[in-house]
Amino acid sequence: MVVILMTMKKIDYYIPLYKNKLYHFYNRGNGTEKIFFKEENYYYFLKQYEKYLSDFIDTFAYCLLPNHFHILGRVKNDNPDIVSETFRKFFISYSMSINVQEKRKGNLFQRGFKRKIIKDEKYFYAAVYYIHSNPVHHGITKDLTQYKFSSYNSLCGNNKTILCRDELMEWFGGKNNFIKYHTEMKSKVFGDDYIIDD
């Protein structure tokens, strides 16, 4: 199976956020700085994300790593400026908390969060896998199913979640196919030249 995850090397911070379109959102700490310093920071990030963005974004997958994050979501609001501004408020809220915790000043995140529009079904499948396997790619874990700060286990479980779990499983043709896809893909995405530079 040939998986095309990204064919453009140019990063665009200004891709419009159109209603009902799917996007891969991602950003990293300023420079190479961490954005998560303690375990509770990951949970706080998700809490603030839900608080600020659950009315604006349907969320399908995410992965939080020490110095960057990935989120796969669909825009629900028809005003792209409001969505961008809400993301900005979310980042400010989280950054202020971390700055107090770490006794630091200045920007926590790189300016202008990045996004890529999901153009087709193949890209959607690949993006979900890419997001969940990112900790393996970065050498944080050898098994993506064991990483605590991605959506993989929430999607496979039955606990209440803000994720669009049922819809995502329909895309994959059920939970068994979802798990099989993650098992069989292994290094295929990371073996080509279509990796997002994160």
Side-chain angles (χ1 to χ4, degrees), residues 25 45-60 71-77 82-83 85-87 89-90 160-164:
F25 303 107
F45 181 96
L46 293 173
K47 179 181 176 183
Q48 294 302 96
Y49 175 83
E50 180 177 5
K51 174 183 175 182
Y52 280 91
L53 289 159
S54 60
D55 289 337
F56 298 90
I57 302 290
D58 286 325
T59 306
F60 292 89
I71 295 170
L72 180 60
R74 179 176 58 213
V75 174
K76 295 196 282 187
N77 191 282
I82 289 177
V83 179
E85 176 63 13
T86 305
F87 264 106
K89 289 178 179 177
F90 159 61
K160 184 178 179 182
T161 178
I162 67 164
L163 298 167
C164 297

Side-chain angles (χ1 to χ4, degrees), residues 65-140:
L65 296 104
N67 69 347
H68 68 283
F69 70 85
H70 296 272
I71 295 170
L72 180 60
R74 179 176 58 213
V75 174
K76 295 196 282 187
N77 191 282
D78 57 7
N79 187 328
D81 292 334
I82 289 177
V83 179
S84 291
E85 176 63 13
T86 305
F87 264 106
R88 189 184 73 83
K89 289 178 179 177
F90 159 61
F91 291 132
I92 289 173
S93 170
Y94 179 77
S95 297
M96 287 175 64
S97 175
I98 294 298
N99 282 353
V100 170
Q101 173 188 290
E102 296 300 311
K103 299 179 173 59
R104 66 179 301 280
K105 294 181 180 180
N107 295 326
L108 180 66
F109 296 97
Q110 288 184 348
R111 290 186 179 274
F113 72 96
K114 305 162 195 172
R115 59 265 200 178
K116 291 292 178 186
I117 194 163
I118 305 296
K119 295 182 178 179
D120 55 41
E121 197 169 284
K122 185 182 288 186
Y123 189 172
F124 179 82
Y125 298 139
V128 171
Y129 175 80
Y130 179 89
I131 288 169
H132 289 149
S133 59
N134 219 245
V136 177
H137 174 59
H138 290 286
I140 297 172

Side-chain angles (χ1 to χ4, degrees), residues 7-60:
T7 57
M8 294 175 56
K9 293 295 182 183
K10 182 181 177 183
I11 295 172
D12 194 340
Y13 304 96
Y14 304 107
I15 294 174
L17 298 172
Y18 296 118
K19 185 176 181 180
N20 296 325
K21 295 294 184 181
L22 284 156
Y23 295 86
H24 179 175
F25 303 107
Y26 57 107
N27 205 357
R28 65 183 306 120
N30 204 11
T32 58
E33 190 173 355
K34 287 182 178 182
I35 57 175
F36 303 106
F37 296 84
K38 300 177 180 179
E39 184 166 322
E40 54 262 35
N41 297 155
Y42 295 90
Y43 300 115
Y44 183 71
F45 181 96
L46 293 173
K47 179 181 176 183
Q48 294 302 96
Y49 175 83
E50 180 177 5
K51 174 183 175 182
Y52 280 91
L53 289 159
S54 60
D55 289 337
F56 298 90
I57 302 290
D58 286 325
T59 306
F60 292 89

Side-chain angles (χ1 to χ4, degrees), residues 172-186:
F172 278 88
K175 186 184 295 186
N176 288 339
N177 285 339
F178 174 80
I179 293 169
K180 183 179 179 182
Y181 187 89
H182 282 75
T183 302
E184 292 184 350
M185 282 302 296
K186 292 294 180 179

